[in-house]
């Protein structure tokens, strides 16, 4: 950040060590930083708590979070790392915050002079990303605010050689904070309770609205040995929230889907939209079913939600009072036709499916279910006259262009059995004819 854009220093900032904050990007490296390296994590946490105590007096960016409890929690995790090479995802998982929040507070620590880059991380395509390595540093404003005297050092850039009396007291105070672990405050959801003792007046002459003995009960006289009490503590159940208009619509839609057979499988949202006017008017599922029972359903319903919408048009105006709806439900329950419809499942005449693929599968299923034709059972040893008659019939059909008898024998019994029945010559002719072009025919010329 250019020096012309740095915030102006105030007298309060000079007293607390505010000058020099935030640290520009060019001075957030170990080679260019004006801070000194912290000799140990304990000393570094003292500087972190000092920066946290400054609060809003630390100049920060115009957007994003400020130096707060989350920053201190992040610093506690960084103080435990050796070397200080944190992973953003790891810190976000430990602190239970987002990765963007971790990046914001890492930037806050760098701008406060508490962290300096040793090596900046890289993101190489098709390579392993490297995390940034930091050095825990203490800003010079901390030394000035606490009156610490420092000299040049090869190891820590600057080393502390003396401290003022004011600085000793402040270091002791910051040391207590650095020694304990900071934890995020849990949100309290406990409601204030009022005890009975607040209504009691001490000493004589007082009265108590609630007696401690009121919480106990005498044993039952019927069972003196067991000592069981007739009154058992009631278990506090959950109080269900009242449904709003949308909840009542979905509740009515779900009941209709479960109770009306031809609505089975229909999305509840569509049924809730179709019956929204009735749900808003306070109708129940039985009242809607009674209205639907006034007219018998169609033989075939293509779209149940649309059919329901057409049936419910204007019924909330026709049955506009609870008394009318009660009479309708009473008729529905005692009507023989309605009773028959309640006990008989909704059915319709079957029609072929529209999809060609489904039709083909249905046809194959029907074909497989039909009994296969089989050859007439012949005697175990047919006579020569019967054998000659069978072969003569097969030859006549073959010459007439109808070799189905031999083909069925080959398909069902096999070629060897067909040759035994009709002869080898006829079977060979039929097989040769079946393997040639379909334009070839047998029998008399056309």
């Amino acid at each position: 950040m250019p020096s012309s854009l740095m915030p102006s220093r105030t007298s309060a900032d000079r007293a607390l060590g505010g000058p020099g904050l935030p640290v520009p990007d060019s001075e957030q490296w170990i080679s260019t930083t004006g801070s000194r390296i912290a000799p140990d994590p304990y000393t570094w946490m003292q500087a972190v708590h000092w920066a946290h105590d400054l609060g809003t007096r630390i100049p920060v960016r115009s957007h994003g979070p400020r130096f707060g409890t989350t920053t201190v929690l992040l610093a506690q995790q960084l103080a435990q790392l050796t070397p200080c090479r944190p992973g953003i995802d790891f810190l976000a998982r430990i602190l239970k915050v987002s990765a963007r929040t971790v990046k914001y507070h890492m930037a806050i620590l760098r701008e406060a002079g508490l962290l300096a880059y040793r090596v900046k991380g890289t993101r190489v395509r098709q390579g392993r990303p490297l995390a940034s390595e930091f050095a825990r540093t203490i800003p010079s404003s901390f030394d000035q605010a606490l009156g610490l005297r420092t000299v040049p050092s090869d190891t820590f850039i600057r080393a502390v050689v003396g401290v003022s009396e004011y600085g000793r007291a402040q270091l002791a105070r910051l040391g207590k904070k650095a020694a304990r672990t900071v934890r995020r405050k849990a949100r309290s959801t406990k409601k204030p309770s009022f005890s009975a003792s607040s209504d009691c007046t001490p000493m004589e002459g007082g009265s108590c609205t609630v007696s401690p003995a009121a919480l106990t009960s005498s044993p039952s006289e019927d069972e003196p040995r067991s000592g069981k009490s007739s009154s058992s503590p009631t278990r506090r159940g959950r109080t269900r929230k009242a449904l709003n208009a949308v909840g009542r619509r979905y509740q009515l839609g779900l009941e209709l889907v479960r109770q009306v057979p031809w609505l089975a499988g229909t999305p509840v949202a569509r049924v809730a939209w179709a019956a929204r006017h009735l749900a808003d008017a306070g109708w129940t599922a039985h009242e809607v079913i009674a209205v639907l029972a006034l007219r018998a359903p169609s033989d075939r319903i293509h779209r149940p939600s649309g059919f329901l919408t057409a049936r419910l048009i204007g019924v909330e105006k026709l049955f506009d009072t609870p008394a009318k709806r009660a009479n309708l439900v009473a008729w529905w329950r005692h009507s023989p036709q309605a009773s028959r419809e309640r006990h008989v499942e909704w059915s319709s005449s079957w029609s072929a499916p529209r999809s060609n693929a489904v039709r083909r599968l249905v046809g194959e299923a029907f074909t497989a279910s039909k009994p296969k034709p089989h050859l007439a059972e012949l005697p175990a040893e047919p006579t020569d006259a019967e054998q000659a008659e069978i072969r003569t019939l097969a030859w006549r059909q073959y010459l007439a262009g109808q070799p189905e008898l031999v083909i069925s024998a080959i398909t069902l019994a096999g070629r060897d059995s067909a040759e035994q029945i009709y002869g080898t010559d006829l079977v060979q002719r039929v097989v040769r004819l079946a393997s040639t072009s379909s334009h070839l025919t047998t029998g008399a010329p056309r």
Side-chain angles (χ1 to χ4, degrees):
M1 181 181 296
S3 58
S4 60
L5 300 179
M6 293 292 293
S8 60
R9 302 177 184 179
T10 62
S11 58
D13 291 335
R14 294 190 186 96
L16 294 174
L21 298 178
V23 176
D25 295 341
S26 58
E27 298 180 8
Q28 295 179 9
W29 294 81
I30 193 64
S31 58
T32 59
T33 182
S35 304
R36 60 184 175 90
I37 299 177
D40 52 71
Y42 174 78
T43 306
W44 184 66
M45 287 303 301
Q46 286 181 315
V48 171
H49 284 284
W50 166 82
H52 179 260
D53 292 342
L54 290 181
T56 58
R57 298 188 179 183
I58 298 181
V60 294
R61 60 184 69 185
S62 59
H63 64 281
R66 295 178 177 271
F67 204 116
T69 305
T70 305
T71 315
V72 179
L73 294 174
L74 175 62
Q76 288 180 164
Q77 299 297 328
L78 297 178
Q80 301 175 7
L81 300 179
T82 303
C84 187
R85 186 184 295 138
I88 301 299
D89 296 337
F90 168 77
L91 294 175
R93 186 170 62 254
I94 293 297
L95 300 178
K96 297 181 180 180
V97 295
S98 63
R100 174 57 60 185
T101 301
V102 174
K103 294 179 181 179
Y104 267 125
H105 289 279
M106 291 288 291
I108 290 174
L109 292 175
R110 295 198 309 270
E111 293 173 356
L114 295 169
L115 285 180
Y117 282 112
R118 288 186 182 271
V119 179
K120 195 168 186 179
T122 59
R123 293 181 180 179
V124 182
R125 180 176 296 180
Q126 297 180 355
R128 183 180 180 183
L130 300 178
S132 300
E133 183 177 353
F134 296 92
R136 294 181 284 264
T137 58
I138 299 176
S140 58
S141 54
F142 173 81
D143 299 337
Q144 297 175 9
L146 273 65
L148 300 178
R149 298 189 299 273
T150 59
V151 295
S153 172
D154 296 336
T155 306
F156 306 110
I157 302 178
R158 292 192 312 275
V160 178
V161 295
V163 60
S164 62
E165 293 298 329
Y166 171 77
R168 292 180 185 275
Q170 295 299 319
L171 287 176
R173 180 182 63 84
L174 295 174
K176 294 180 180 179
K177 293 184 178 182
R180 66 172 182 263
T181 302
V182 177
R183 301 183 185 277
R184 184 179 285 107
K185 295 183 180 180
R187 296 181 179 179
S188 177
T189 58
K190 185 178 180 180
K191 296 182 179 179
S193 59
F194 301 94
S195 60
S197 60
S198 60
D199 298 333
C200 298
T201 305
M203 305 301 291
E204 296 80 12
S207 61
C208 184
T209 58
V210 180
S211 174
L215 301 177
T216 60
S217 58
S218 302
S220 175
E221 296 181 358
D222 299 334
E223 297 178 359
R225 294 184 179 182
S226 62
K228 295 182 180 180
S229 175
S230 58
S231 61
S232 58
T234 59
R235 193 173 185 179
R236 182 178 300 176
R238 294 184 178 180
T239 57
R240 300 184 63 179
K241 295 182 179 179
L243 295 176
N244 55 9
V246 178
R248 288 192 297 270
R249 294 176 182 178
Y250 272 80
Q251 184 180 26
L252 179 60
L254 180 61
E255 293 178 358
L256 292 177
V257 170
R258 291 177 175 176
Q259 299 183 30
V260 179
W262 49 270
L263 283 178
T266 307
V268 178
R270 293 182 179 272
V271 179
W273 183 88
R276 65 191 185 281
H277 302 299
L278 305 183
D280 297 342
W283 284 52
T284 62
H286 293 290
E287 295 171 351
V288 178
I289 296 174
V291 169
L292 297 176
L294 291 175
R295 292 183 292 176
S298 176
D299 294 337
R300 183 175 182 182
I301 299 176
H302 299 278
R303 193 160 60 94
S305 59
F307 182 81
L308 177 66
T309 304
R311 285 293 178 94
L312 298 181
I313 293 178
V315 296
E316 71 276 4
K317 299 179 181 179
L318 182 61
F319 302 93
D320 53 350
T321 61
K324 294 180 180 180
R325 296 197 294 268
N327 295 334
L328 179 64
V329 174
W331 166 84
W332 171 64
R333 289 177 177 175
H334 296 89
S335 173
Q337 180 182 358
S339 179
R340 184 169 55 255
E341 291 179 357
R342 289 197 303 270
H343 292 86
V344 178
E345 294 185 357
W346 178 82
S347 60
S348 61
S349 58
W350 184 87
S351 58
R354 298 181 179 180
S355 175
N356 294 330
V358 178
R359 287 183 178 180
R360 184 173 62 256
L361 294 176
V362 172
E364 294 176 357
F366 276 108
T367 304
S369 62
K370 292 181 179 180
K372 296 182 179 180
H374 55 83
L375 295 176
E377 294 184 359
L378 299 177
E381 296 180 356
T383 61
D384 295 338
E386 294 175 346
Q387 187 77 16
E389 184 179 357
I390 293 174
R391 293 189 179 185
T392 302
L393 178 61
W395 271 100
R396 289 178 180 179
Q397 292 184 356
Y398 167 73
L399 295 176
Q402 298 176 355
E404 287 79 7
L405 187 61
V406 179
I407 293 177
S408 61
I410 297 175
T411 305
L412 298 177
R415 184 169 178 174
D416 296 338
S417 300
E419 290 179 354
Q420 293 178 2
I421 298 173
Y422 301 108
T424 305
D425 186 17
L426 179 58
V427 172
Q428 290 180 354
R429 289 174 179 269
V430 172
V431 172
R432 190 181 307 112
L433 178 64
S435 61
T436 56
S437 174
S438 60
H439 297 287
L440 298 179
T441 59
T442 60
R446 296 180 182 178

